[in-house]
Amino acid sequence: MDTPQILGYGQGDSNGLGMAIMDRTLRAPAMGVLTRTLIRSPVVKWIIPARIRHKDKNDILFIHHNWIEIMELSSDGHLCDVAIKADFDSAIRSARVLGATRKPALVKEPEEEGIDAIIKQEAPELMVSAPDNMHEVAPQILVMALESNNLVFVFATQHNSEPVRFISYQHPLAAESERNKTEHFKLLGRHIAVDPKSRALAVAAYGGRFVLYALKPIAQLKAEVELNGTLIDENFRPLKAVSVLGFTTVIEKRFAMDGIILRMEFLHPFPGDDSHVILLLVVSRGGRTRLMWYEWDSSKDLDTTKWNGSGYPVNRDEQLPLLLIPFTTSPGFLLVCEKVMSSYRNILTGQVVSTVARLKPIKELEQPEELGSSKRFPLWTYWARPVRRDGWDSTNEVIYLCREDGVVRFLEFQTDSDINLLANVGRLETNIDSAFASLDIGNGYYDLLAAAGDMSDGGLFTFKARKNVAKIQCIPSWTPVIDFVAVPSSSSSISALSPNKIRNRGNESIYACVGRGKRHGAICEIRFGIEAQSSVRIPIGDYLQAGILGMWILPDVSGHGIFILLTNPSRSFVFFVPTEGDDIQELLDDETGISLDSQTLSAGSTKDGLIVQITQNSILGFVLHNERIFEKGSAGCVIIAACIEGAISAILTAIRRGGDVYLQGGIFRNQGNEVFLEEFGNPITLSSDPSSLSLHAIGQHIYAFVGTLEGTLQIYQVFHGQFLSPLCEHKFDGDFSICDSIAIIFKHHTENPPDDILVLCGLRNGFLQIFKMLDDQAPEILLTGVADGPTFLHCETVLMGSTSVTVTRDTSTATQTGSCCSKALVVCRDALCRLEYSHNQSGQSQAAVTSIWLTDHEEPGFSQGPILAAAQSDPWNCNRMTDSPMNLLFCIESSQLHMAQLSACSQSRAVPRPLSIGGTPTRILYSTQLATLVVALTKTNVRTNKRLVQSYLSLIHKGHFLHKDDRSAFDSELYKVGRPGERVMALLEWFPSDVGNNSYHLLVVTTLLPHKSHKNTGHLYIYRVARDDGGKYSLKLIFTIKLDDAVCAVAAHGSSSLVYSSGSQLILHTLQLSNKKFEPSVASPLASPAIHISVEGPYVYVSTLRSSLSIFKVEKNRLVPQMSDSEAGSGLYHLALPPRSLILASNRERRLLGLWQPPVGQMNNSTSTLFQAVLPGSLTRLRRGSFKPPWHHGPTPARNTILGSSADGSFYQLELLSEASWRLLCFIQNLARRNSVVCPSTYQSQQNKHIEPSNQKEHYLHVDGDILLRILDRGTPDDTSLLRTMLVEEPEQTLSGRRLHDFDTAQARYGRFCELVAAALAQGTEDDPVQAVVKYLRCLLQPVL
């Protein structure tokens, strides 16, 4: 009873909540809101190379706004996803790494060229094989200062294939009393610095305050944390501390000075000066900038710290340094400023030596690429130090400098000589802020630079001597998101083919305005799922004319390449992909031993290296490139279906002999040099032709699964080499419910014995049916379940699409023997997905289906077409093909064969598809009638030292942006809007009509024209949409209305009226269609300029600069003020929800408000705030649409999905909650917030809040879905365990014996939980309430994309 009921769409609203909203005599209803981060912001603050898992793991840390990401650098120079940590519940102010000094990785030979390099890229070799025991403190530790005024230390550990486990320690930066007294300590962490030998840590605020901490040596920390091969998390405390009267106090010293701290770094002491710690600060005071330094002998107390008093003044050109770069060979440093670079030496002796060099562009190489992007010359934004071999860097300084427009300069010098400023690396084709680093690839032949783009894509770049910089990997970005729209998918509708009447939900795609400038401005499709990066694309359209019935990947035992076998109804084809060179060869049958003159029914390999092919006429066994070693004909009969289970060297066939069909199978055996097929006894007669066959070893038994054309699933067991009678026969319901494919997966990824066995059946009508086998014993009755109880259960039915579903095991999740896979691949023409189940011990759990998106970094705009087939190599073929092909995916998309690498990260994420438009997009609109995107963009030109910014409109037809692949900008015609400097603020598709229902198709554009000498003006332009004889649409300007202020928003009202703003005026303007003229406008004053306007019936909703919402009503052609938000705020956007009583409003204070519009007639001139949510970023857009894919489980119909976007590229999904649902979820959230597993960074601050939900404050009615997700994901061994643990734990006590804010007993807490479950879910006492809540949370928190 959540969003559907609240919005009035629910059936049988038992709470009457929908009626309560519409009832004009009732008070404001009680409701809450749940938010879930759907897509995290791609903005990277810093890239830090740090081995925080193990000394042999070449980890790279990406520090984002409020989360961190670990990626691993492979030996081929590509980044692989490892893990993310997003439970800080606070923004990250700054970050550094402490611990061991970076050392060069193992030097490797240059990589091979051609296809060999490509295949190695797909299965990268890690830098060094890690030992089995990874349970030790990492050599490097990440330290971060958070906006919550906490200092957090983090490292990670990972054992074999287990998930990454993070271990952290948190220390408050300022006591509560200090935080309340002064603003200075609230900003601690704006600067952070670590001593080069990790003896001290400094944390500073801008306002002249900083704190110095003493750090424990890594050896001491390891001794305290590591115990008998395990890690004691609570002993991880990197800060030195003293114990007094049983209380532990961290050793720290606080400093205060006059002025503003601009930069702060520790300097390197001279070699041999082991106890000397030097902290340098660049401080601005009284309009002058000075260098100040503090010295400390680390063998003594922090109280012995000395400082230099008045400091040393810098030169005039160095007043605002951009970068402070310490030397590694002496206590010297560089100051990089806008125009100069200065080298400082001997600062501690008082005999300061300063050398200044002018930063002039190197000829044309460093001229700004887009001169019009800024009035000023680009600034140097960050620096990086590459790793060099031991000994060489003891006398030399090597530094990379990057500029904000992507120019990189290489500095190499000795500290006692002049700086070499003439080495230019090149331009990195990206805009750079502070996310820039030099990575250690373990190769002595070139450097590898990483840069995350600022309003552009970033990447990995190789820098080789005397060669141009080359991009080898893209780091995608989709910021800033200025605007976005929902576009209906191109797939046809899905009929209701099931008795459950599950219909097509018409999912829509998201297209957003992202990037900036000619090179990086784009319309980006924001997709969500798992990336499969395609590295090889082979056009095979000529082979697909007769269709495609199957594809198999076969190994070359000689290790020279990969065989890809395709088949259509009449013949087969085989391709060879060699490891050397890049020629893709089609082979003949006499070159491989494969039979190509007929259809292949099944093919595969066994663990013994035998390649098996089954055609309509024979069963063949061979080693590719060698003669056949087994062949069995089918004289007098025809093989009509077959399958191969290579893990047990077995096959299963269906044979037609005369008018009967038989099931026959066997296992390949070796006897000396001979291979023979040991058959499963006598064949079994089938009652119907098979549609699919599958053979699986489950525990100690072999089962045969047979789908038939009668719409049944039959299951047989092979016992002592003989077929038994059918164990069961299940009838599928619905039209075309024929099982076309069968796969077996294991939920817990174990082998002996396997548990939670799932049988997946892909049906011809687009559904996937899932059954569960409860044990591995031979069942007497399966699906019907009698005798000792059911051993097979029907779990669920999932709608995948409108065509036949093909399901196979995802061998990238296979165990070592290859017999168990925990995930499956699902293909349904318009969808390529991965399916997995959550770790849950109940048969009621639901499948998690995630889209897989093919990408090509050479063509970022690549559009994924229909998926005709997908295949993977058998897991036991790893060493026969490449070093590790477990994540390789082969698929036929449209008319191309792809070899792609699946992302190793288990979490879904955004997979952007940018489409260049040759300018900066500012607004976007999708016209359903035209099936066209209308995009407003700006282009900047420079003429006679003047920047000319011109706005344009572009019409991009759906067929163009859905299927465009290349990098080039759209070639659509551009329509100039207004004068130079005029910017488009709003777009509106308008269909005015008269009493005769004669309508016109118009496009309304509003603008802002800035002026230096007086206030801004604006225009309202109206274009007529025309279509020529060739079906091409065009725009013709027909009206221009000039206004005295900027026109930032517009909306249509009634049949022929517009409501728009001009500064602080709200204007109603009506068009008389009879004479095609506008009537005199009607205006109403606003408290501040409008930002966004919408219309629902007679009501006009306005978000302004100083209020979240104002409401007007149109009465007798007048705008009559009705009410406004009761709290002043800087409005950004709003979304009115039917039946026009609830409005979601966002503002610049990062708040999302739920406002209730009182019924007409009540004496109230202000809206009621029902709830308030404080988010990581302000929502600049709110959209409602049908985003959910067909397989989505959820309580909200597709049309009610609400998405919000922030300018930083993050997307949030919103769910409205009834009071009962809110109370239940808030109760669970309050439990979680005091749990160190769920909220490790904030749990200590939540102990004074009772877990019973309270609605006393509006923000209490906000439920954070990200916290609820952690409860499910961090449960061990299943997703209910953590919630159960929190419910049954006894309440904690303080030292004084008083209870914390909790129930008196665990029994009382659990009893209250059951009451809330019964109220929210109508859950009976006979059911498991915890399991019911987990199932509800899984539905509620599913991603809607």
Side-chain angles (χ1 to χ4, degrees):
M1 242 179 317
D2 300 317
T3 302
Q5 289 83 356
I6 291 173
L7 299 184
Y9 290 117
Q11 300 295 325
D13 186 1
S14 58
N15 267 12
L17 187 54
M19 295 301 297
I21 295 180
M22 293 185 288
D23 192 334
R24 298 182 178 183
T25 64
L26 298 180
R27 294 179 300 174
M31 69 176 71
V33 64
L34 179 144
T35 63
R36 178 199 188 279
T37 304
L38 181 61
I39 295 175
R40 295 184 178 89
S41 169
V43 175
V44 182
K45 289 187 172 182
W46 301 280
I47 300 175
I48 305 177
R51 298 174 185 255
I52 71 163
R53 285 185 298 160
H54 192 270
K55 60 184 177 61
D56 294 333
K57 297 290 188 180
N58 200 358
D59 293 332
I60 311 299
L61 303 180
F62 283 65
I63 311 299
H64 297 262
H65 173 67
N66 58 358
W67 60 289
I68 64 174
E69 180 178 18
I70 301 179
M71 305 191 82
E72 186 168 4
L73 183 65
S74 61
S75 58
D76 66 349
H78 285 73
L79 292 172
C80 305
D81 300 323
V82 175
I84 65 171
K85 182 175 174 62
D87 55 7
F88 301 110
D89 298 321
S90 173
I92 301 171
R93 284 178 178 167
S94 55
R96 286 293 177 93
V97 166
L98 59 89
T101 305
R102 289 177 68 196
K103 295 294 184 182
L106 179 65
V107 177
K108 293 185 176 292
E109 296 298 324
E111 297 292 341
E112 295 87 345
E113 301 292 335
I115 195 67
D116 188 36
I118 294 174
I119 294 178
K120 287 181 181 293
Q121 173 183 334
E122 300 306 326
E125 175 191 355
L126 301 183
M127 303 304 289
V128 179
S129 297
D132 292 337
N133 183 18
M134 302 288 286
H135 296 301
E136 59 183 53
V137 177
Q140 293 176 307
I141 297 169
L142 176 67
V143 55
M144 295 172 290
L146 305 182
E147 291 282 359
S148 58
N149 274 292
N150 289 313
L151 201 60
V152 176
F153 299 81
V154 178
F155 76 94
T157 180
Q158 184 179 24
H159 181 64
N160 293 334
S161 59
E162 294 177 358
V164 173
R165 184 168 74 92
F166 290 94
I167 299 173
S168 63
Y169 166 72
Q170 182 171 295
H171 176 72
L173 281 171
E176 196 65 35
S177 58
E178 292 174 323
R179 298 184 195 185
N180 295 333
K181 286 179 181 179
T182 174
E183 289 291 325
H184 294 304
F185 283 109
K186 289 185 178 181
L187 299 178
L188 273 175
R190 297 299 180 186
H191 301 288
I192 189 170
V194 176
D195 171 60
K197 297 184 179 181
S198 296
R199 298 162 298 182
L201 170 71
V203 183
Y206 288 139
R209 302 292 191 272
F210 72 94
V211 183
L212 190 63
Y213 297 94
L215 295 173
K216 295 178 181 177
I218 291 294
Q220 177 185 347
L221 195 61
K222 289 173 68 68
E224 294 173 353
V225 177
E226 298 172 12
L227 181 63
N228 298 327
T230 61
L231 297 176
I232 311 302
D233 296 13
E234 54 268 24
N235 289 352
F236 177 58
R237 296 176 177 271
L239 299 177
K240 283 187 177 180
V242 294
S243 181
V244 179
L245 298 177
F247 292 94
T248 301
T249 304
V250 169
I251 299 176
E252 63 179 42
K253 183 173 178 61
R254 296 176 176 260
F255 299 85
M257 65 177 70
D258 294 332
I260 299 174
I261 300 176
L262 302 178
R263 295 284 181 264
M264 179 179 71
E265 289 286 355
F266 281 94
L267 301 182
H268 291 249
F270 286 106
D273 195 359
D274 296 333
S275 61
H276 198 180
V277 179
I278 310 160
L279 178 65
L280 175 70
L281 296 97
V282 182
V283 181
S284 176
R285 182 171 59 200
R288 293 297 305 272
T289 298
R290 311 181 75 85
L291 302 175
M292 306 186 69
W293 55 94
Y294 293 75
E295 298 178 75
W296 172 51
D297 186 340
S298 61
S299 63
K300 300 178 181 179
D301 294 337
L302 281 178
D303 292 335
T304 62
T305 304
K306 300 181 296 183
W307 69 300
N308 68 320
S310 59
Y312 183 84
V314 300
N315 300 322
R316 182 178 299 275
D317 288 339
E318 303 166 5
Q319 294 299 306
L320 292 175
L322 303 173
L323 303 172
L324 169 59
I325 307 175
F327 294 155
T328 58
T329 57
S330 66
F333 55 92
L334 290 178
L335 280 184
V336 181
C337 306
E338 184 173 359
K339 297 179 180 180
V340 299
M341 175 186 296
S342 301
S343 169
Y344 283 84
R345 309 183 190 94
N346 303 334
I347 190 171
L348 301 180
T349 64
Q351 304 297 320
V352 179
V353 177
S354 174
T355 304
V356 180
R358 306 295 297 181
L359 281 170
K360 297 180 180 180
I362 302 176
K363 300 181 180 180
E364 299 297 326
L365 297 176
E366 295 185 351
Q367 291 297 333
E369 189 172 24
E370 294 188 45
L371 294 173
S373 61
S374 174
K375 295 181 179 180
R376 305 185 66 175
F377 202 79
L379 301 177
W380 300 97
T381 56
Y382 214 66
W383 63 279
R385 196 189 310 274
V387 177
R388 291 292 184 260
R389 66 181 184 272
D390 292 339
W392 189 92
D393 56 359
S394 62
T395 57
N396 294 271
E397 298 289 342
V398 181
I399 296 168
Y400 284 102
L401 288 181
C402 70
R403 208 171 65 182
E404 58 184 333
D405 62 345
V407 168
V408 175
R409 186 176 286 187
F410 178 69
L411 309 179
E412 182 177 350
F413 58 93
Q414 294 184 344
T415 54
D416 56 355
S417 62
D418 293 336
I419 303 173
N420 176 13
L421 297 177
L422 300 179
N424 177 278
V425 173
R427 195 183 303 271
L428 300 189
E429 300 180 2
T430 184
N431 301 327
I432 306 175
D433 189 3
S434 55
F436 177 74
S438 174
L439 310 184
D440 181 17
I441 194 177
N443 190 314
Y445 301 94
Y446 56 87
D447 286 334
L448 184 65
L449 303 178
D454 178 26
M455 295 188 289
S456 65
D457 286 342
L460 294 186
F461 305 86
T462 58
F463 171 47
K464 301 180 182 180
R466 296 176 297 278
K467 290 188 178 181
N468 294 330
V469 63
K471 185 175 183 179
I472 62 172
Q473 185 176 356
C474 177
I475 300 176
S477 177
W478 52 92
T479 58
V481 175
I482 304 300
D483 196 3
F484 81 92
V485 293
V487 177
S489 65
S490 58
S491 60
S492 58
S493 61
I494 303 173
S495 303
L497 300 175
S498 162
N500 297 327
K501 301 299 182 184
I502 305 176
R503 296 182 178 271
N504 176 37
R505 298 176 178 179
N507 59 298
E508 297 175 319
S509 301
I510 292 176
Y511 285 82
C513 297
V514 305
R516 179 187 179 192
K518 180 179 179 180
R519 291 181 58 88
H520 307 298
I523 299 301
C524 186
E525 181 184 4
I526 306 295
R527 304 172 298 186
F528 186 77
I530 301 170
E531 181 181 10
Q533 182 181 344
S534 177
S535 57
V536 175
R537 291 166 60 183
I538 308 169
I540 58 170
D542 294 340
Y543 302 93
L544 303 178
Q545 295 179 1
I548 181 73
L549 296 181
M551 177 172 66
W552 299 269
I553 310 303
L554 306 175
D556 178 11
V557 293
S558 64
H560 294 153
I562 300 169
F563 293 91
I564 302 175
L565 177 61
L566 307 177
T567 188
N568 63 29
S570 60
R571 61 160 303 174
S572 302
F573 307 90
V574 63
F575 299 92
F576 182 66
V577 183
T579 56
E580 295 183 0
D582 54 4
D583 294 330
I584 311 301
Q585 308 168 21
E586 181 187 359
L587 302 181
L588 303 178
D589 51 1
D590 57 358
E591 297 179 90
T592 62
I594 297 177
S595 176
L596 301 180
D597 57 357
S598 63
Q599 175 189 346
T600 299
L601 300 177
S602 184
S605 64
T606 69
K607 291 182 179 179
D608 299 326
L610 180 66
I611 308 299
V612 181
Q613 179 193 18
I614 304 177
T615 68
Q616 294 175 326
N617 304 316
S618 61
I619 301 172
L620 306 176
F622 46 84
V623 176
L624 290 177
H625 281 321
N626 289 282
E627 63 181 13
R628 296 173 184 171
I629 58 177
F630 177 86
E631 184 170 359
K632 179 181 179 181
S634 55
C637 59
V638 177
I639 304 175
I640 60 175
C643 72
I644 300 169
E645 177 53 47
I648 56 174
S649 301
I651 65 170
L652 184 66
T653 60
I655 299 174
R656 186 190 306 279
R657 182 180 294 114
D660 297 325
V661 178
Y662 301 92
L663 186 66
Q664 191 169 12
I667 295 180
F668 285 100
R669 305 289 189 187
N670 294 326
Q671 188 174 23
N673 295 327
E674 299 292 329
V675 175
F676 67 96
L677 182 65
E678 181 183 293
E679 297 184 346
F680 295 148
N682 297 323
I684 287 184
T685 303
L686 297 178
S687 59
S688 172
D689 284 5
S691 56
S692 58
L693 298 179
S694 186
L695 190 67
H696 294 275
I698 302 175
Q700 303 300 317
H701 305 281
I702 299 176
Y703 292 98
F705 299 83
V706 181
T708 71
L709 293 179
E710 292 179 342
T712 62
L713 173 66
Q714 299 175 356
I715 303 178
Y716 301 83
Q717 184 188 2
V718 178
F719 188 70
H720 294 304
Q722 300 288 329
F723 277 120
L724 295 181
S725 300
L727 298 175
C728 76
E729 181 174 77
H730 172 72
K731 176 68 174 177
F732 297 104
D733 296 328
D735 298 332
F736 304 103
S737 295
I738 298 171
C739 182
D740 282 339
S741 60
I742 305 167
I744 305 294
I745 62 173
F746 302 84
K747 293 198 316 188
H748 290 297
H749 207 295
T750 58
E751 294 194 14
N752 294 310
D755 56 354
D756 289 346
I757 304 162
L758 298 175
V759 182
L760 313 179
C761 300
L763 305 186
R764 193 165 296 181
N765 58 13
F767 286 90
L768 180 69
Q769 290 212 10
I770 304 172
F771 303 91
K772 178 180 177 182
M773 183 186 292
L774 297 181
D775 55 49
D776 64 341
Q777 301 301 315
E780 296 180 6
I781 301 295
L782 294 179
L783 293 167
T784 53
V786 290
D788 295 333
T791 55
F792 262 67
L793 293 175
H794 177 262
C795 292
E796 63 180 306
T797 300
V798 181
L799 175 63
M800 297 301 304
S802 58
T803 58
S804 179
V805 176
T806 301
V807 57
T808 60
R809 294 174 296 179
D810 181 0
T811 59
S812 67
T813 64
T815 54
Q816 187 173 3
T817 65
S819 59
C820 296
C821 297
S822 59
K823 301 176 184 178
L825 295 179
V826 184
V827 176
C828 189
R829 189 173 175 84
D830 293 325
L832 174 61
C833 304
R834 172 184 277 173
L835 179 144
E836 65 178 313
Y837 262 71
S838 59
H839 295 295
N840 192 295
Q841 297 176 348
S842 170
Q844 298 180 352
S845 59
Q846 293 180 334
V849 181
T850 306
S851 297
I852 297 175
W853 297 102
L854 294 171
T855 63
D856 187 340
H857 288 170
E858 293 297 323
E859 295 183 8
F862 168 73
S863 175
Q864 179 173 307
I867 304 297
L868 306 181
Q872 293 173 297
S873 172
D874 293 320
W876 46 85
N877 289 325
C878 297
N879 296 328
R880 295 177 184 145
M881 290 168 49
T882 63
D883 293 331
S884 177
M886 295 297 290
N887 288 336
L888 281 183
L889 173 67
F890 299 82
C891 63
I892 298 176
E893 175 268 336
S894 296
S895 61
Q896 297 183 97
L897 174 63
H898 293 257
M899 184 169 73
Q901 182 183 13
L902 284 169
S903 171
C905 185
S906 60
Q907 299 193 26
S908 300
R909 59 181 62 201
V911 185
R913 176 177 165 252
L915 304 169
S916 176
I917 60 170
T920 302
T922 56
R923 295 292 184 271
I924 186 171
L925 177 149
Y926 179 71
S927 170
T928 304
Q929 183 165 330
L930 304 180
T932 296
L933 284 176
V934 182
V935 181
L937 65 146
T938 61
K939 293 190 174 187
T940 305
N941 297 309
V942 178
R943 296 179 182 175
T944 62
N945 296 325
K946 290 186 179 180
R947 298 171 65 245
L948 300 178
V949 180
Q950 180 63 56
S951 294
Y952 298 90
L953 294 176
S954 176
L955 301 181
I956 308 173
H957 190 268
K958 186 175 182 179
H960 294 163
F961 65 78
L962 281 183
H963 307 296
K964 182 179 184 295
D965 285 352
D966 55 42
R967 290 173 174 266
S968 61
F970 288 101
D971 58 359
S972 58
E973 182 178 355
L974 296 179
Y975 300 89
K976 186 180 293 187
V977 178
R979 298 166 49 188
E982 197 164 2
R983 298 179 182 271
V984 174
M985 303 303 294
L987 299 174
L988 172 68
E989 193 176 20
W990 189 30
F991 300 93
S993 61
D994 56 21
V995 292
N997 290 326
N998 297 316
S999 62
Y1000 298 85
H1001 191 181
L1002 305 178
L1003 179 67
V1004 182
V1005 181
T1006 69
T1007 66
L1008 176 152
L1009 182 59
H1011 296 277
K1012 292 183 179 180
S1013 57
H1014 53 87
K1015 71 175 184 178
N1016 300 334
T1017 60
H1019 291 87
L1020 188 143
Y1021 299 103
I1022 300 179
Y1023 295 83
R1024 178 168 58 86
V1025 180
R1027 181 178 180 179
D1028 60 20
D1029 295 337
K1032 183 179 179 181
Y1033 294 101
S1034 61
L1035 300 177
K1036 181 179 180 180
L1037 182 63
I1038 58 174
F1039 288 106
T1040 299
I1041 301 175
K1042 185 177 180 180
L1043 295 144
D1044 296 333
D1045 212 326
V1047 186
C1048 295
V1050 64
H1053 181 274
S1055 60
S1056 58
S1057 297
L1058 291 175
V1059 180
Y1060 56 90
S1061 66
S1062 177
S1064 298
Q1065 293 284 323
L1066 185 65
I1067 300 172
L1068 177 67
H1069 222 159
T1070 301
L1071 176 64
Q1072 286 289 349
L1073 295 178
S1074 58
N1075 57 14
K1076 299 181 180 180
K1077 293 183 179 180
F1078 276 95
E1079 296 180 355
S1081 60
V1082 177
S1084 179
L1086 296 170
S1088 57
I1091 299 297
H1092 175 58
I1093 299 173
S1094 68
V1095 173
E1096 290 288 344
Y1099 294 100
V1100 179
Y1101 301 90
V1102 185
S1103 294
T1104 70
L1105 281 176
R1106 296 180 183 174
S1107 65
S1108 298
L1109 188 71
S1110 297
I1111 304 177
F1112 294 79
K1113 186 177 182 181
V1114 178
E1115 293 181 348
K1116 298 180 180 179
N1117 207 31
R1118 294 185 303 115
L1119 290 167
V1120 181
Q1122 299 292 300
M1123 58 194 70
S1124 62
D1125 180 15
S1126 57
E1127 297 181 8
S1130 183
L1132 275 178
Y1133 207 79
H1134 67 261
L1135 177 65
L1137 301 174
R1140 300 190 304 274
S1141 293
L1142 181 65
I1143 305 99
L1144 298 178
S1146 65
N1147 58 35
R1148 298 178 189 273
E1149 288 76 38
R1150 300 187 291 117
R1151 293 186 298 169
L1152 174 69
L1153 305 176
L1155 305 175
W1156 185 63
Q1157 180 181 351
V1160 176
Q1162 290 194 2
M1163 298 299 293
N1164 195 344
N1165 62 357
S1166 65
T1167 59
S1168 299
T1169 302
L1170 303 182
F1171 54 77
Q1172 179 185 131
V1174 180
L1175 301 173
S1178 298
L1179 298 184
T1180 56
R1181 289 294 183 271
L1182 291 163
R1183 296 279 188 252
R1184 188 172 167 206
S1186 304
F1187 305 108
K1188 298 178 181 178
W1191 53 83
H1192 187 278
H1193 306 273
T1196 307
R1199 63 181 179 273
N1200 293 332
T1201 303
I1202 302 172
L1203 288 185
S1205 69
S1206 183
D1208 65 359
S1210 54
F1211 284 80
Y1212 304 87
Q1213 66 184 59
L1214 313 177
E1215 189 80 30
L1216 302 178
L1217 303 172
S1218 65
E1219 182 179 10
S1221 296
W1222 163 75
R1223 288 192 178 277
L1224 170 63
L1225 299 180
C1226 187
F1227 183 91
I1228 299 172
Q1229 176 181 254
N1230 292 343
L1231 269 177
R1233 279 181 168 165
R1234 61 176 60 192
N1235 184 277
S1236 60
V1237 175
V1238 182
C1239 299
S1241 299
T1242 58
Y1243 73 98
Q1244 292 175 331
S1245 63
Q1246 299 294 321
Q1247 303 294 345
N1248 60 349
K1249 182 180 178 182
H1250 201 284
I1251 62 175
E1252 177 65 29
S1254 169
N1255 58 5
Q1256 294 181 354
K1257 296 184 179 180
E1258 292 144 356
H1259 67 270
Y1260 289 172
L1261 288 115
H1262 171 220
V1263 176
D1264 189 341
D1266 296 341
I1267 293 179
L1268 300 183
L1269 269 176
R1270 295 176 209 161
I1271 300 176
L1272 304 182
D1273 295 340
R1274 298 181 183 182
T1276 302
D1278 61 71
D1279 56 6
T1280 65
S1281 57
L1282 185 54
L1283 178 56
R1284 291 185 194 276
T1285 301
M1286 291 190 297
L1287 288 169
V1288 301
E1289 281 182 340
E1290 287 298 327
E1292 298 181 14
Q1293 295 181 349
T1294 63
L1295 293 176
S1296 61
R1298 296 179 57 189
R1299 297 284 185 188
L1300 295 175
H1301 294 264
D1302 197 349
F1303 291 88
D1304 290 335
T1305 64
Q1307 184 178 1
R1309 186 200 301 125
Y1310 187 79
R1312 178 55 177 156
F1313 169 77
C1314 294
E1315 293 175 1
L1316 295 173
V1317 173
L1321 306 182
Q1323 184 72 19
T1325 57
E1326 69 280 0
D1327 298 321
D1328 180 1
V1330 176
Q1331 179 59 51
V1333 167
V1334 167
K1335 180 180 179 181
Y1336 171 62
L1337 290 178
R1338 284 292 180 195
C1339 289
L1340 191 66
L1341 299 174
Q1342 277 191 104
V1344 297
L1345 292 181

